[in-house]
Amino acid sequence: MQETAQTTLELIHAAAKKEFLEKGFRAASLRNIVKLAGVTTGAFYGYYDSKEELFETLIGEQYRSFMELYRGAQEEFAALPPQEQPRFMGEISGSCMHELLRYAYENLTEMKLLLTCSEGTRFAGMIDEMVEIETKATHDYQKVLEKLGSPSRSIDPRLEHILITGMFNAFFELIIHEMPLGEAETYLDELREFYTAGWMKIMGQ
């Protein structure tokens, strides 16, 4: 009985991924998912109450793990003594972005669902959530620089938001377009050099 239930779930999940990837969450049809899976609507509702719950099951774990990796790197940096933060900023940031990239490639289908198909769900705001975290971290680092006697220039909040959002969008393009991992890691290093130089210029560092 357990083997049959697992097989049914696998069929539903495979069909759901196909439907969501082709149409996105909003346009995806529960009727099509059930039909593709070759199960009855009653069988579907034996596992899930809604399309939303199904989508959550498909990508919820990846969303949480991805965000935990990102927050963990921010917390690791913030925990450093102030005088050490300028020295380790690039190292921790680079390590974090490569770790995120590798995690995304290990969970590529789920990450593509999250990044390109989640409009209409609570996951659609992930980039905005990351921008908010990054903005706060930037402000906290500016306070550290000021305490160290090397204050940075103030940045227009609108420009700051545009730059940080653009940085994340550029990073996620690597994943969305499924570049070979080796190439993606090289591009990531180049993107980081580009954005680091720009930030240092704007902040007067």
Side-chain angles (χ1 to χ4, degrees):
M1 187 69 176
Q2 185 176 359
E3 183 179 349
T4 302
Q6 182 64 35
T7 301
T8 301
L9 266 180
E10 287 174 352
L11 290 169
I12 291 172
H13 289 176
K17 287 177 182 179
K18 186 175 187 298
E19 179 77 358
F20 287 136
L21 282 170
E22 287 180 359
K23 301 177 182 177
F25 174 80
R26 282 193 191 276
S29 164
L30 196 53
R31 181 179 297 176
N32 282 346
I33 291 171
V34 170
K35 184 178 179 181
L36 284 169
V39 302
T40 65
T41 303
F44 174 86
Y45 284 114
Y47 296 105
Y48 300 109
D49 292 331
S50 64
K51 185 172 72 169
E52 290 84 352
E53 186 180 356
L54 171 59
F55 195 81
E56 171 97 26
T57 297
L58 293 178
I59 67 169
E61 179 183 345
Q62 286 74 21
Y63 166 78
R64 287 187 293 273
S65 296
F66 191 85
M67 292 303 294
E68 283 171 8
L69 285 173
Y70 177 64
R71 287 194 183 95
Q74 297 287 0
E75 291 166 2
E76 179 186 355
F77 179 75
L80 289 173
Q83 63 273 17
E84 293 186 17
Q85 289 190 18
R87 183 159 60 98
F88 286 99
M89 180 181 67
E91 179 181 328
I92 292 177
S93 173
S95 175
C96 168
M97 297 309 288
H98 276 280
E99 189 174 8
L100 289 174
L101 184 68
R102 288 190 290 270
Y103 179 83
Y105 270 70
E106 289 166 5
N107 300 271
L108 192 56
T109 298
E110 291 78 11
M111 288 302 297
K112 288 191 71 175
L113 284 169
L114 179 58
L115 294 169
T116 65
C117 307
S118 62
E119 189 65 36
T121 75
R122 71 182 184 89
F123 303 104
M126 187 183 79
I127 292 179
D128 290 335
E129 187 178 354
M130 294 180 75
V131 169
E132 184 177 341
I133 294 169
E134 186 73 21
T135 300
K136 182 183 182 303
T138 300
H139 294 171
D140 290 343
Y141 182 59
Q142 287 177 306
K143 292 175 184 176
V144 167
L145 290 175
E146 187 172 357
K147 288 180 181 178
L148 293 175
S150 183
S152 66
R153 298 172 186 163
S154 61
I155 306 172
D156 186 296
R158 294 166 298 182
L159 176 61
E160 182 180 47
H161 180 81
I162 290 169
L163 290 173
I164 293 175
T165 302
M167 178 182 69
F168 283 123
N169 282 331
F171 170 71
F172 286 127
E173 282 290 299
L174 302 173
I175 299 162
I176 291 168
H177 292 292
E178 299 185 36
M179 295 180 180
L181 180 57
E183 291 181 18
E185 291 195 299
T186 298
Y187 290 146
L188 176 56
D189 286 334
E190 293 175 350
L191 281 171
R192 286 189 59 253
E193 289 180 8
F194 175 82
Y195 277 102
T196 298
W199 277 110
M200 295 294 280
K201 175 69 175 178
I202 290 173
M203 295 174 73
Q205 295 296 305

